[in-house]
Amino acid sequence: MRIMSVDFGDSRTGIAVCDKSEFLASPLTVIFEKNFDRCLEKTAELAKKEQAELLVVGYPKNMNNTVGERAEKCALFGEKLEELTGIKVVMWDERCTTVSAHNYLNEVNVRGKKRKNVVDAVAAVIILESYMGYRKNSGSQS
């Protein structure tokens, strides 16, 4: 199944996709957009262009497992994205993905402006890899 993941942010939104066999997750792009509705439209266009069959949106719960303002905004984004595309959206716990993305970029020595431009796409890959691992280990198809 072709799955696309979204690391929604207020000014940068990372996008990643996997191959049909759900073996490899790859960064696709970063959408540089501060307007919620325009970001939603651009994400929906990418989902259609990439022929996504399932969308996974990062859900940034607090470390104590509560839902804060940021998670609520991401949930609204996911809800609107599903309405706009007709593609099922799964909200996926993304705690620490941006930290993991920064750690990965440290390891491969990506710095400065280039780092800022790719960290959200790398975070989207981490979200997608986590979700694909869940599907593989649980036998889940949703």
Side-chain angles (χ1 to χ4, degrees):
M1 175 182 288
R2 185 97 163 137
I3 305 171
M4 186 173 101
S5 67
V6 181
D7 181 33
F8 173 68
D10 286 329
S11 55
R12 293 184 315 273
T13 297
I15 308 289
V17 292
C18 73
D19 60 323
K20 280 229 177 240
S21 67
E22 297 179 37
F23 181 73
L24 183 64
S26 304
L28 181 64
T29 192
V30 175
I31 298 169
F32 296 90
E33 182 58 68
K34 292 183 180 182
N35 180 283
F36 183 90
D37 291 328
R38 282 198 299 264
C39 184
L40 191 59
E41 289 167 10
K42 290 177 180 182
T43 305
E45 286 172 17
L46 273 175
K48 290 175 184 172
K49 180 183 173 198
E50 293 297 318
Q51 300 176 333
E53 299 167 81
L54 180 67
L55 301 169
V56 178
V57 176
Y59 191 53
K61 288 180 166 180
N62 296 321
M63 293 310 282
N64 65 0
N65 210 30
T66 60
V67 175
E69 186 179 323
R70 183 83 218 144
E72 288 174 358
K73 192 169 185 180
C74 289
L76 178 64
F77 187 86
E79 182 182 312
K80 298 284 186 191
L81 187 59
E82 187 168 327
E83 287 174 13
L84 194 57
T85 63
I87 302 168
K88 181 178 177 180
V89 170
V90 173
M91 299 305 297
W92 194 250
D93 188 348
E94 67 157 72
R95 284 177 279 190
C96 301
T97 54
T98 301
V99 172
S100 296
H102 279 288
N103 288 340
Y104 172 77
L105 292 171
N106 282 340
E107 288 176 25
V108 296
N109 204 26
V110 175
R111 304 262 184 247
K113 186 172 176 131
K114 186 173 183 185
R115 177 193 197 104
K116 189 175 183 180
N117 288 341
V118 299
V119 70
D120 299 290
V122 172
V125 168
I126 293 168
I127 292 167
L128 185 51
E129 286 175 341
S130 171
Y131 182 74
M132 289 180 349
Y134 162 78
R135 280 174 58 94
K136 183 179 179 183
N137 292 329
S138 70
S140 175
Q141 294 306 306
S142 61

